[in-house]
Amino acid sequence: MGRGAALSERSSGESVSHFAAIRIRLVGTGHLKMKAYSLDDIKSKELVPFTMNPTNRVIPTRLVNFMEQRASFELKTTELNERFRINRIVVFQRKVFSSVAGLAGHGL
């Protein structure tokens, strides 16, 4: 995973998870582009970008709908003078299979 990842102490890495959504508490200007990546960046999915505001009373959520063992998220801006500050990131995920063998027959 080229972009960095977090691994919990109790995770063996063998399970397959469904990454349902990502919620980001952020302020800024411009558009925040997002992408989800699988292990070794084999699969990727572009997410709907956030339109940032200097102040925000709502914490926006974006659907991810990505099923993999692990996922990393890329967050970036592409225009000059676009800035952002992230205060919190929450990833909603649920274990679907306890082993990679559960993927057989699901086309993943």
Side-chain angles (χ1 to χ4, degrees):
M1 233 183 287
R3 281 152 190 81
L7 180 67
S8 67
E9 293 176 12
R10 293 177 274 142
S11 177
S12 67
E14 294 299 321
S15 63
V16 176
S17 296
H18 176 247
F19 297 88
I22 185 169
R23 180 178 292 158
I24 302 176
R25 168 78 171 110
L26 78 155
V27 293
T29 58
H31 298 282
L32 185 67
K33 295 182 169 112
M34 298 181 296
K35 214 170 194 182
Y37 290 94
S38 67
L39 284 171
D40 294 328
D41 302 341
I42 294 170
K43 286 177 59 179
S44 66
K45 181 173 184 178
E46 195 161 329
L47 307 177
V48 177
F50 283 118
T51 300
M52 297 180 287
N53 297 310
T55 59
N56 228 349
R57 67 176 190 87
V58 177
I59 301 173
T61 301
R62 289 294 183 262
L63 295 178
V64 178
N65 196 23
F66 199 62
M67 195 176 328
E68 290 292 329
Q69 277 185 292
R70 294 270 186 260
S72 62
F73 293 88
E74 176 184 66
L75 311 171
K76 68 180 181 179
T77 60
T78 56
E79 301 297 323
L80 288 176
N81 298 321
E82 288 185 328
R83 299 172 189 244
F84 64 92
R85 186 180 76 208
I86 296 175
N87 294 317
R88 175 177 288 178
I89 299 175
V90 178
V91 178
F92 296 93
Q93 67 91 28
R94 181 177 183 194
K95 184 164 78 170
V96 179
F97 303 114
S98 58
S99 70
V100 180
L103 286 175
H106 283 75
L108 300 174

XYZ file of all heavy atoms in Angstrom:
849
model
N 0.850 -1.178 0.000
C 0.000 0.000 0.000
C 0.891 1.235 0.000
O 1.502 1.534 1.001
C -0.862 -0.038 1.251
C -2.320 0.097 0.978
S -3.317 0.140 2.446
C -3.237 -1.535 2.973
N 0.955 1.911 -1.116
C 1.885 3.008 -1.275
C 1.534 4.281 -0.537
O 2.352 5.141 -0.359
N 0.309 4.445 -0.075
C -0.114 5.712 0.497
C -0.200 5.707 2.012
O -0.605 6.671 2.597
C -1.464 6.090 -0.096
C -1.286 6.671 -1.464
C -2.516 6.398 -2.286
N -2.292 6.739 -3.654
C -1.671 5.972 -4.526
N -1.207 4.804 -4.181
N -1.516 6.355 -5.755
N 0.100 4.605 2.669
C 0.007 4.552 4.120
C -1.262 3.845 4.547
O -2.251 3.832 3.837
N -1.211 3.210 5.697
C -2.373 2.462 6.187
C -2.269 2.317 7.692
O -1.211 2.473 8.278
C -2.431 1.088 5.540
N -3.379 2.022 8.300
C -3.429 1.766 9.730
C -3.816 0.312 9.938
O -4.648 -0.229 9.233
C -4.446 2.677 10.402
N -3.198 -0.329 10.916
C -3.472 -1.726 11.216
C -3.750 -1.831 12.705
O -2.941 -1.407 13.523
C -2.261 -2.586 10.837
C -2.352 -4.080 11.065
C -3.398 -4.680 10.126
C -1.008 -4.725 10.793
N -4.906 -2.375 13.055
C -5.238 -2.506 14.466
C -4.489 -3.693 15.066
O -4.066 -4.606 14.362
C -6.746 -2.683 14.657
O -7.158 -3.912 14.130
N -4.335 -3.709 16.378
C -3.600 -4.772 17.054
C -4.293 -6.119 16.932
O -3.652 -7.153 16.901
C -3.409 -4.414 18.531
C -2.509 -3.231 18.740
C -2.413 -2.849 20.198
O -2.868 -3.634 21.048
O -1.872 -1.775 20.467
N -5.613 -6.132 16.872
C -6.357 -7.384 16.834
C -6.588 -7.896 15.424
O -7.142 -8.944 15.232
C -7.705 -7.202 17.533
C -7.535 -6.972 19.021
C -8.869 -6.724 19.661
N -9.139 -5.293 19.518
C -10.311 -4.782 19.260
N -11.359 -5.528 19.119
N -10.469 -3.488 19.143
N -6.166 -7.212 14.406
C -6.442 -7.600 13.034
C -5.350 -8.508 12.497
O -4.174 -8.199 12.578
C -6.544 -6.354 12.168
O -6.732 -6.728 10.835
N -5.767 -9.636 11.934
C -4.794 -10.540 11.336
C -4.584 -10.249 9.861
O -3.679 -10.787 9.243
C -5.260 -11.991 11.507
O -6.434 -12.211 10.749
N -5.454 -9.452 9.256
C -5.316 -9.097 7.861
C -5.905 -10.109 6.908
O -5.827 -9.945 5.704
N -6.483 -11.193 7.412
C -7.037 -12.225 6.550
C -8.493 -11.994 6.195
O -9.008 -12.593 5.268
C -6.889 -13.596 7.213
C -5.454 -14.034 7.365
C -4.737 -14.176 6.017
O -5.359 -14.661 5.049
O -3.583 -13.775 5.934
N -9.190 -11.167 6.921
C -10.615 -10.958 6.660
C -10.816 -9.997 5.490
O -9.925 -9.253 5.103
C -11.306 -10.410 7.907
O -10.782 -9.158 8.239
N -12.022 -10.041 4.928
C -12.396 -9.148 3.833
C -13.476 -8.219 4.360
O -14.451 -8.667 4.965
C -12.914 -9.944 2.618
C -13.391 -9.005 1.525
C -11.822 -10.868 2.096
N -13.302 -6.925 4.146
C -14.232 -5.926 4.675
C -14.932 -5.183 3.552
O -14.394 -5.018 2.454
C -13.488 -4.914 5.543
O -12.945 -5.542 6.676
N -16.141 -4.715 3.871
C -16.874 -3.821 2.975
C -16.708 -2.414 3.535
O -17.153 -2.125 4.642
C -18.358 -4.201 2.923
C -19.160 -3.250 2.102
N -20.111 -2.422 2.657
C -19.140 -2.975 0.774
C -20.652 -1.691 1.701
N -20.082 -1.999 0.559
N -16.046 -1.562 2.792
C -15.862 -0.172 3.179
C -17.052 0.591 2.616
O -17.163 0.785 1.412
C -14.532 0.362 2.653
C -13.358 -0.360 3.244
C -12.856 -1.504 2.656
C -12.789 0.089 4.420
C -11.792 -2.188 3.216
C -11.720 -0.587 4.995
C -11.221 -1.731 4.387
N -17.976 0.974 3.493
C -19.261 1.527 3.069
C -19.206 3.033 2.813
O -19.755 3.511 1.826
C -20.329 1.219 4.112
N -18.571 3.776 3.718
C -18.597 5.240 3.594
C -17.403 5.843 4.315
O -16.751 5.190 5.128
C -19.892 5.793 4.189
N -17.132 7.096 4.004
C -16.096 7.859 4.693
C -16.696 9.218 5.067
O -17.388 9.838 4.262
C -14.819 8.008 3.824
C -13.711 8.702 4.613
C -15.105 8.712 2.522
C -12.358 8.642 3.928
N -16.472 9.616 6.309
C -16.960 10.909 6.807
C -15.743 11.720 7.227
O -14.921 11.257 8.006
C -17.898 10.703 7.989
C -18.440 12.015 8.554
C -19.405 11.775 9.688
N -20.598 11.143 9.143
C -21.446 10.419 9.867
N -21.231 10.217 11.135
N -22.507 9.889 9.298
N -15.645 12.925 6.696
C -14.475 13.759 6.959
C -14.924 15.117 7.467
O -15.693 15.818 6.819
C -13.622 13.937 5.686
C -13.182 12.576 5.155
C -12.420 14.823 5.969
C -12.416 12.640 3.872
N -14.421 15.483 8.637
C -14.655 16.819 9.201
C -13.516 17.689 8.691
O -12.366 17.515 9.054
C -14.666 16.753 10.724
C -14.605 18.093 11.422
C -15.972 18.780 11.408
N -15.931 19.957 12.252
C -15.984 21.192 11.780
N -16.083 21.412 10.487
N -15.953 22.219 12.583
N -13.834 18.587 7.754
C -12.795 19.414 7.165
C -13.318 20.802 6.852
O -14.525 21.014 6.735
C -12.248 18.778 5.885
C -13.071 18.895 4.615
C -12.143 18.791 3.425
C -14.107 17.810 4.523
N -12.393 21.725 6.766
C -12.675 23.082 6.316
C -11.618 23.432 5.278
O -10.521 22.895 5.281
C -12.672 24.115 7.472
C -13.833 23.873 8.413
C -11.357 24.084 8.223
N -11.969 24.318 4.371
C -11.017 24.720 3.353
C -11.695 25.407 2.201
O -12.858 25.810 2.279
N -10.966 25.526 1.104
C -11.506 26.136 -0.109
C -11.195 25.223 -1.285
O -10.152 24.578 -1.317
C -10.872 27.512 -0.360
O -9.456 27.358 -0.465
C -11.199 28.487 0.741
N -12.102 25.157 -2.244
C -11.888 24.339 -3.435
C -12.589 22.998 -3.339
O -13.576 22.834 -2.628
N -12.057 22.031 -4.083
C -12.631 20.693 -4.136
C -11.596 19.678 -3.662
O -10.451 19.705 -4.107
C -13.061 20.340 -5.564
C -14.110 21.253 -6.093
N -15.430 21.147 -5.741
C -14.031 22.310 -6.942
C -16.127 22.081 -6.347
N -15.299 22.819 -7.076
N -12.011 18.787 -2.778
C -11.138 17.729 -2.280
C -11.466 16.460 -3.048
O -12.552 15.905 -2.929
C -11.350 17.515 -0.779
C -10.408 16.507 -0.127
C -8.986 17.040 -0.128
C -10.857 16.210 1.290
N -10.517 16.015 -3.874
C -10.699 14.794 -4.657
C -10.272 13.600 -3.806
O -9.311 13.683 -3.043
C -9.886 14.870 -5.938
C -10.385 15.968 -6.842
C -9.635 16.012 -8.123
C -10.330 16.908 -9.050
N -10.052 18.004 -9.544
N -11.007 12.481 -3.960
C -10.737 11.306 -3.134
C -10.738 10.054 -3.982
O -11.493 9.944 -4.952
C -11.793 11.172 -2.045
C -11.821 12.335 -1.089
S -13.049 12.119 0.178
C -14.531 12.129 -0.791
N -9.913 9.085 -3.562
C -9.832 7.811 -4.238
C -9.556 6.734 -3.197
O -8.807 6.976 -2.241
C -8.694 7.849 -5.263
C -8.926 7.051 -6.496
C -7.854 7.363 -7.528
C -8.284 6.815 -8.863
N -7.297 7.037 -9.900
N -10.159 5.562 -3.360
C -9.906 4.408 -2.490
C -9.042 3.422 -3.268
O -9.251 3.210 -4.470
C -11.217 3.751 -2.079
N -8.074 2.809 -2.587
C -7.156 1.854 -3.207
C -7.145 0.551 -2.423
O -7.229 0.557 -1.193
C -5.718 2.406 -3.213
C -5.503 3.553 -4.147
C -5.604 4.858 -3.704
C -5.181 3.336 -5.477
C -5.403 5.925 -4.557
C -4.968 4.397 -6.344
C -5.076 5.681 -5.879
O -4.877 6.740 -6.724
N -6.976 -0.570 -3.139
C -6.803 -1.874 -2.499
C -5.325 -2.078 -2.183
O -4.492 -1.203 -2.449
C -7.297 -2.980 -3.434
O -6.461 -3.061 -4.584
N -4.999 -3.248 -1.654
C -3.602 -3.583 -1.402
C -2.798 -3.468 -2.691
O -3.265 -3.875 -3.762
C -3.491 -5.021 -0.881
C -3.896 -5.243 0.557
C -3.955 -6.733 0.851
C -2.938 -4.559 1.502
N -1.615 -2.919 -2.607
C -0.710 -2.723 -3.742
C -1.354 -1.940 -4.889
O -0.926 -2.044 -6.033
C -0.190 -4.068 -4.263
C 0.691 -4.767 -3.244
O 1.369 -4.062 -2.473
O 0.687 -6.008 -3.218
N -2.409 -1.205 -4.614
C -3.072 -0.334 -5.602
C -3.559 -1.091 -6.830
O -3.612 -0.546 -7.934
C -2.142 0.802 -6.031
C -1.693 1.646 -4.864
O -2.355 1.606 -3.811
O -0.676 2.350 -4.995
N -3.923 -2.368 -6.660
C -4.403 -3.173 -7.787
C -5.765 -2.688 -8.249
O -6.026 -2.571 -9.439
C -4.431 -4.664 -7.408
C -2.993 -5.149 -7.170
C -5.113 -5.505 -8.486
C -2.887 -6.515 -6.571
N -6.664 -2.411 -7.310
C -7.982 -1.870 -7.635
C -8.088 -0.470 -7.051
O -7.530 -0.190 -5.995
C -9.087 -2.748 -7.046
C -9.285 -4.060 -7.770
C -10.330 -4.933 -7.110
C -11.666 -4.262 -7.041
N -12.702 -5.117 -6.421
N -8.826 0.389 -7.723
C -9.054 1.728 -7.189
C -10.468 2.169 -7.560
O -11.071 1.650 -8.496
C -8.028 2.722 -7.732
O -8.202 2.885 -9.112
N -10.963 3.115 -6.795
C -12.295 3.659 -7.054
C -12.267 5.144 -6.742
O -11.876 5.554 -5.650
C -13.333 2.965 -6.187
C -14.735 3.475 -6.432
C -15.770 2.679 -5.688
C -17.142 3.190 -6.068
N -18.192 2.436 -5.410
N -12.678 5.945 -7.720
C -12.753 7.391 -7.516
C -14.073 7.722 -6.827
O -15.134 7.234 -7.221
C -12.653 8.118 -8.845
C -12.361 9.572 -8.689
C -11.822 10.195 -9.961
O -11.152 9.501 -10.736
O -12.089 11.392 -10.147
N -13.994 8.553 -5.788
C -15.171 8.932 -5.019
C -15.637 10.327 -5.435
O -14.880 11.097 -6.034
C -14.850 8.918 -3.524
C -14.223 7.622 -2.986
C -13.897 7.779 -1.519
C -15.146 6.448 -3.206
N -16.861 10.656 -5.099
C -17.405 11.983 -5.392
C -16.630 13.007 -4.560
O -16.482 12.840 -3.341
C -18.910 12.035 -5.045
C -19.464 13.433 -5.267
C -19.683 11.017 -5.867
N -16.093 14.060 -5.172
C -15.297 15.031 -4.413
C -16.139 15.856 -3.443
O -17.336 16.028 -3.623
C -14.685 15.922 -5.486
C -15.434 15.673 -6.727
C -16.148 14.372 -6.587
N -15.468 16.328 -2.394
C -16.088 17.249 -1.438
C -15.897 18.672 -1.947
O -14.812 19.032 -2.384
C -15.407 17.177 -0.061
C -15.770 15.992 0.766
C -14.801 15.086 1.144
C -17.065 15.781 1.195
C -15.114 14.000 1.925
C -17.398 14.688 1.980
C -16.415 13.798 2.339
N -16.931 19.489 -1.870
C -16.790 20.925 -2.085
C -16.574 21.538 -0.712
O -17.434 21.443 0.158
C -18.044 21.515 -2.751
O -18.227 20.869 -4.001
C -17.880 23.008 -2.967
N -15.411 22.123 -0.505
C -15.041 22.608 0.824
C -15.513 24.036 1.037
O -15.629 24.818 0.087
C -13.528 22.511 0.997
C -13.012 21.089 0.926
S -11.244 20.975 1.133
C -10.655 21.626 -0.418
N -15.761 24.366 2.306
C -16.158 25.702 2.729
C -15.248 26.149 3.867
O -14.770 25.312 4.646
C -17.610 25.704 3.224
C -18.575 25.338 2.124
O -18.523 25.901 1.052
N -19.440 24.379 2.395
N -15.021 27.465 4.011
C -14.189 27.942 5.127
C -14.781 27.611 6.497
O -14.060 27.444 7.460
C -14.127 29.453 4.914
C -14.503 29.667 3.496
C -15.396 28.535 3.111
N -16.093 27.532 6.571
C -16.760 27.101 7.805
C -17.802 26.057 7.420
O -18.352 26.087 6.317
C -17.460 28.279 8.520
O -18.414 28.855 7.631
C -16.457 29.331 8.955
N -18.069 25.151 8.337
C -18.975 24.053 8.021
C -19.757 23.664 9.261
O -19.180 23.404 10.304
C -18.153 22.847 7.557
C -18.680 22.230 6.300
O -19.755 22.551 5.852
N -17.895 21.331 5.734
N -21.075 23.608 9.154
C -21.873 23.128 10.278
C -22.328 21.696 10.060
O -22.945 21.090 10.908
C -23.071 24.041 10.529
C -24.112 24.044 9.455
C -25.314 24.910 9.839
N -26.389 24.704 8.903
C -27.304 23.745 9.002
N -27.272 22.918 10.012
N -28.244 23.623 8.090
N -22.016 21.134 8.877
C -22.379 19.758 8.543
C -21.106 18.979 8.236
O -20.231 19.472 7.526
C -23.319 19.733 7.310
C -23.647 18.323 6.910
C -24.584 20.527 7.589
N -21.011 17.747 8.771
C -19.871 16.885 8.471
C -20.279 15.998 7.292
O -21.144 15.137 7.433
C -19.481 16.031 9.690
C -19.129 16.929 10.869
C -18.314 15.123 9.337
C -18.888 16.191 12.150
N -19.698 16.209 6.114
C -20.137 15.464 4.934
C -19.681 14.002 4.938
O -18.636 13.665 5.482
C -19.499 16.226 3.770
C -18.353 16.940 4.370
C -18.675 17.181 5.802
N -20.487 13.152 4.311
C -20.210 11.725 4.188
C -20.274 11.350 2.716
O -21.132 11.826 1.986
C -21.250 10.910 4.976
O -21.213 11.305 6.347
C -20.972 9.420 4.891
N -19.364 10.510 2.283
C -19.371 10.009 0.908
C -19.434 8.485 0.926
O -18.751 7.841 1.714
C -18.114 10.430 0.147
C -18.068 11.889 -0.182
C -19.157 12.273 -1.169
N -19.085 13.655 -1.543
C -19.808 14.621 -1.021
N -20.665 14.345 -0.067
N -19.691 15.860 -1.442
N -20.245 7.929 0.030
C -20.318 6.484 -0.115
C -19.046 5.979 -0.778
O -18.527 6.603 -1.707
C -21.525 6.084 -0.950
C -22.884 6.401 -0.332
C -23.996 5.994 -1.288
C -23.057 5.684 1.002
N -18.553 4.827 -0.307
C -17.347 4.235 -0.858
C -17.694 2.951 -1.621
O -17.303 2.771 -2.762
C -16.309 3.942 0.248
C -15.078 3.268 -0.334
C -15.934 5.208 0.985
N -18.425 2.027 -0.980
C -18.845 0.758 -1.581
C -17.666 0.031 -2.215
O -17.616 -0.187 -3.427
C -19.969 0.986 -2.588
C -20.683 -0.302 -2.931
O -20.650 -1.261 -2.158
N -21.333 -0.339 -4.070
N -16.716 -0.387 -1.379
C -15.454 -0.992 -1.810
C -15.206 -2.211 -0.944
O -15.196 -2.104 0.281
C -14.347 0.056 -1.625
C -13.086 -0.179 -2.385
C -13.067 -0.209 -3.766
C -11.887 -0.323 -1.709
C -11.894 -0.385 -4.454
C -10.707 -0.494 -2.387
C -10.700 -0.525 -3.774
N -15.031 -3.394 -1.538
C -14.836 -4.613 -0.765
C -13.434 -5.156 -1.018
O -13.113 -5.577 -2.125
C -15.884 -5.669 -1.134
C -15.931 -6.774 -0.115
S -17.173 -8.056 -0.333
C -18.542 -7.268 -1.078
N -12.606 -5.126 0.026
C -11.214 -5.560 -0.056
C -10.719 -5.981 1.326
O -11.381 -5.725 2.328
C -10.317 -4.431 -0.569
C -10.500 -4.073 -2.016
C -10.051 -5.154 -2.973
O -9.098 -5.907 -2.652
O -10.654 -5.264 -4.045
N -9.532 -6.601 1.370
C -8.908 -6.915 2.653
C -8.506 -5.637 3.378
O -8.723 -5.504 4.568
C -7.659 -7.778 2.447
C -7.937 -9.235 2.290
C -6.636 -10.000 2.223
O -5.890 -9.877 1.258
N -6.370 -10.775 3.238
N -7.891 -4.751 2.675
C -7.438 -3.478 3.217
C -7.769 -2.392 2.207
O -7.876 -2.648 1.013
C -5.926 -3.480 3.432
C -5.449 -4.439 4.481
C -5.423 -3.728 5.815
N -4.847 -4.574 6.822
C -5.548 -5.264 7.685
N -6.855 -5.235 7.652
N -4.968 -5.996 8.599
N -7.875 -1.169 2.686
C -8.089 -0.033 1.797
C -7.286 1.148 2.298
O -7.092 1.324 3.502
C -9.567 0.337 1.734
N -6.807 1.935 1.373
C -6.183 3.211 1.709
C -6.928 4.282 0.922
O -7.532 4.004 -0.118
C -4.691 3.208 1.366
O -4.488 3.025 -0.014
N -6.891 5.497 1.428
C -7.624 6.593 0.807
C -6.656 7.718 0.456
O -5.820 8.093 1.266
C -8.714 7.121 1.751
C -9.804 6.120 1.988
C -9.703 5.196 3.013
C -10.909 6.089 1.183
C -10.697 4.263 3.225
C -11.917 5.170 1.385
C -11.805 4.247 2.411
N -6.793 8.221 -0.754
C -5.997 9.356 -1.207
C -6.907 10.581 -1.219
O -7.993 10.548 -1.802
C -5.474 9.083 -2.614
C -4.706 10.239 -3.221
C -4.310 9.934 -4.651
O -5.218 9.818 -5.499
O -3.101 9.821 -4.898
N -6.467 11.643 -0.565
C -7.208 12.906 -0.510
C -6.293 13.987 -1.073
O -5.152 14.119 -0.624
C -7.588 13.248 0.929
C -8.252 12.148 1.746
C -8.357 12.551 3.201
C -9.615 11.830 1.188
N -6.784 14.750 -2.061
C -5.901 15.755 -2.650
C -6.703 16.878 -3.300
O -7.882 16.732 -3.602
C -4.972 15.129 -3.685
C -5.678 14.625 -4.933
C -4.685 14.033 -5.906
C -5.376 13.547 -7.169
N -4.432 12.993 -8.115
N -6.022 17.987 -3.489
C -6.536 19.092 -4.294
C -5.636 19.209 -5.511
O -4.466 18.810 -5.472
C -6.553 20.411 -3.513
O -5.217 20.719 -3.115
C -7.440 20.327 -2.293
N -6.149 19.774 -6.588
C -5.353 19.837 -7.817
C -5.153 21.251 -8.348
O -4.398 21.454 -9.284
C -6.020 18.987 -8.923
O -7.354 19.443 -9.114
C -6.016 17.522 -8.553
N -5.826 22.223 -7.776
C -5.705 23.601 -8.249
C -4.820 24.405 -7.303
O -4.700 24.097 -6.121
C -7.091 24.254 -8.339
C -8.054 23.534 -9.255
C -7.610 23.494 -10.704
O -7.026 24.491 -11.173
O -7.837 22.463 -11.357
N -4.246 25.478 -7.825
C -3.441 26.378 -7.001
C -4.323 27.067 -5.958
O -5.497 27.351 -6.214
C -2.774 27.438 -7.870
C -1.636 26.959 -8.758
C -1.140 28.089 -9.638
C -0.503 26.388 -7.937
N -3.757 27.349 -4.811
C -4.402 28.074 -3.713
C -5.596 27.353 -3.099
O -6.412 27.974 -2.426
C -4.802 29.488 -4.146
C -3.601 30.315 -4.547
O -2.546 30.224 -3.918
N -3.742 31.089 -5.592
N -5.759 26.063 -3.366
C -6.772 25.282 -2.658
C -6.119 24.751 -1.387
O -5.016 24.211 -1.422
C -7.296 24.117 -3.506
C -8.177 24.545 -4.628
C -8.776 23.370 -5.378
O -8.123 22.312 -5.469
O -9.893 23.518 -5.865
N -6.801 24.945 -0.281
C -6.252 24.540 1.020
C -7.322 23.815 1.803
O -8.511 24.065 1.638
C -5.782 25.746 1.808
C -4.691 26.508 1.126
C -4.399 27.800 1.848
N -3.496 28.580 1.037
C -2.273 28.901 1.417
N -1.833 28.524 2.586
N -1.511 29.605 0.627
N -6.873 22.921 2.684
C -7.829 22.239 3.549
C -7.177 21.842 4.857
O -5.955 21.695 4.941
C -8.446 21.015 2.855
C -7.479 19.919 2.508
C -7.240 18.872 3.380
C -6.836 19.920 1.289
C -6.373 17.847 3.055
C -5.968 18.904 0.935
C -5.738 17.863 1.829
N -8.012 21.692 5.870
C -7.578 21.201 7.183
C -8.566 20.119 7.602
O -9.766 20.347 7.647
C -7.550 22.314 8.217
C -6.959 21.828 9.553
C -6.918 22.910 10.573
N -8.284 23.085 11.070
C -8.772 24.207 11.540
N -8.022 25.288 11.554
N -9.988 24.284 12.001
N -8.035 18.942 7.888
C -8.871 17.815 8.309
C -8.762 17.672 9.819
O -7.666 17.604 10.368
C -8.428 16.512 7.613
C -8.646 16.639 6.114
C -9.183 15.318 8.174
C -8.147 15.472 5.309
N -9.921 17.647 10.484
C -9.955 17.475 11.934
C -10.272 16.045 12.338
O -9.880 15.608 13.416
C -11.006 18.404 12.554
C -10.625 19.851 12.376
O -9.473 20.222 12.553
N -11.585 20.659 11.989
N -11.013 15.330 11.498
C -11.399 13.965 11.850
C -11.776 13.197 10.590
O -12.410 13.730 9.697
C -12.587 13.976 12.800
C -13.121 12.595 13.117
C -14.234 12.652 14.103
N -13.628 12.994 15.387
C -14.305 13.175 16.492
N -15.606 13.057 16.497
N -13.697 13.477 17.616
N -11.382 11.919 10.556
C -11.781 11.013 9.485
C -12.392 9.774 10.125
O -11.784 9.169 11.010
C -10.587 10.593 8.604
C -9.948 11.806 7.944
C -11.020 9.577 7.558
C -8.695 11.489 7.160
N -13.587 9.406 9.683
C -14.250 8.189 10.153
C -14.537 7.330 8.930
O -15.161 7.798 7.976
C -15.576 8.513 10.891
C -16.270 7.240 11.334
C -15.318 9.424 12.077
N -14.062 6.081 8.956
C -14.314 5.145 7.869
C -15.293 4.099 8.382
O -15.042 3.453 9.393
C -13.010 4.473 7.390
C -13.299 3.458 6.290
C -12.022 5.521 6.904
N -16.405 3.944 7.686
C -17.410 2.956 8.056
C -17.132 1.677 7.274
O -17.195 1.668 6.045
C -18.814 3.478 7.734
C -19.192 4.684 8.530
C -18.975 5.958 8.023
C -19.747 4.551 9.784
C -19.319 7.079 8.760
C -20.090 5.671 10.532
C -19.869 6.928 10.015
N -16.806 0.612 8.004
C -16.498 -0.656 7.360
C -17.050 -1.795 8.195
O -17.262 -1.654 9.390
C -14.991 -0.800 7.135
C -14.146 -0.923 8.383
C -13.935 -2.364 8.813
O -13.948 -3.269 8.004
N -13.759 -2.571 10.094
N -17.279 -2.902 7.532
C -17.820 -4.081 8.212
C -17.168 -5.319 7.629
O -17.014 -5.442 6.405
C -19.325 -4.153 7.999
C -19.944 -5.325 8.687
C -21.430 -5.309 8.514
N -21.988 -6.427 9.265
C -23.206 -6.853 9.128
N -24.021 -6.261 8.286
N -23.632 -7.860 9.829
N -16.778 -6.238 8.501
C -16.178 -7.492 8.049
C -17.250 -8.323 7.355
O -18.329 -8.539 7.884
C -15.586 -8.262 9.228
C -14.866 -9.519 8.788
C -13.955 -10.076 9.851
C -14.740 -10.817 10.901
N -13.885 -11.571 11.823
N -16.949 -8.785 6.125
C -17.892 -9.563 5.336
C -17.517 -11.042 5.352
O -18.362 -11.900 5.536
C -17.937 -9.042 3.878
C -18.893 -9.859 3.035
C -18.331 -7.582 3.856
N -16.236 -11.329 5.148
C -15.723 -12.703 5.153
C -14.574 -12.788 6.144
O -13.773 -11.865 6.250
C -15.225 -13.113 3.768
C -16.264 -13.004 2.687
C -16.123 -12.082 1.667
C -17.376 -13.823 2.684
C -17.063 -11.972 0.662
C -18.329 -13.716 1.691
C -18.180 -12.791 0.679
N -14.477 -13.909 6.838
C -13.389 -14.066 7.812
C -12.091 -14.528 7.158
O -11.046 -14.532 7.791
C -13.792 -15.040 8.920
O -14.129 -16.290 8.360
N -12.136 -14.921 5.887
C -10.922 -15.290 5.167
C -11.074 -14.922 3.704
O -12.183 -14.683 3.210
C -10.635 -16.793 5.298
O -11.577 -17.541 4.568
N -9.970 -14.919 2.991
C -9.979 -14.580 1.576
C -10.731 -15.632 0.776
O -11.273 -15.348 -0.285
C -8.535 -14.414 1.053
C -8.505 -14.060 -0.419
C -7.806 -13.363 1.855
N -10.828 -16.860 1.289
C -11.554 -17.928 0.595
C -13.026 -17.553 0.389
O -13.666 -18.052 -0.523
C -11.452 -19.222 1.389
N -13.573 -16.675 1.218
C -14.960 -16.242 1.080
C -15.209 -15.441 -0.197
O -16.345 -15.283 -0.624
N -14.138 -14.942 -0.818
C -14.282 -14.175 -2.051
C -14.591 -15.055 -3.259
O -15.100 -14.583 -4.253
C -13.018 -13.375 -2.327
C -12.784 -12.152 -1.464
C -11.433 -11.552 -1.774
C -13.868 -11.136 -1.643
N -14.254 -16.337 -3.188
C -14.480 -17.239 -4.321
C -15.971 -17.252 -4.653
O -16.824 -17.378 -3.789
C -14.003 -18.636 -3.982
N -16.286 -17.086 -5.892
C -17.671 -17.083 -6.322
C -18.340 -15.723 -6.259
O -19.491 -15.582 -6.648
N -17.635 -14.721 -5.777
C -18.207 -13.366 -5.712
C -17.617 -12.452 -6.779
O -17.925 -11.276 -6.833
C -17.995 -12.762 -4.316
C -18.939 -13.293 -3.300
N -18.807 -14.540 -2.764
C -20.044 -12.766 -2.754
C -19.793 -14.749 -1.896
N -20.557 -13.687 -1.881
N -16.714 -12.985 -7.581
C -16.155 -12.199 -8.666
C -15.243 -11.077 -8.217
O -15.070 -10.105 -8.921
N -14.652 -11.191 -7.030
C -13.785 -10.118 -6.531
C -12.348 -10.533 -6.561
O -11.897 -11.538 -6.400
C -14.181 -9.743 -5.100
C -15.621 -9.255 -4.970
C -15.956 -9.044 -3.521
C -15.812 -7.966 -5.735
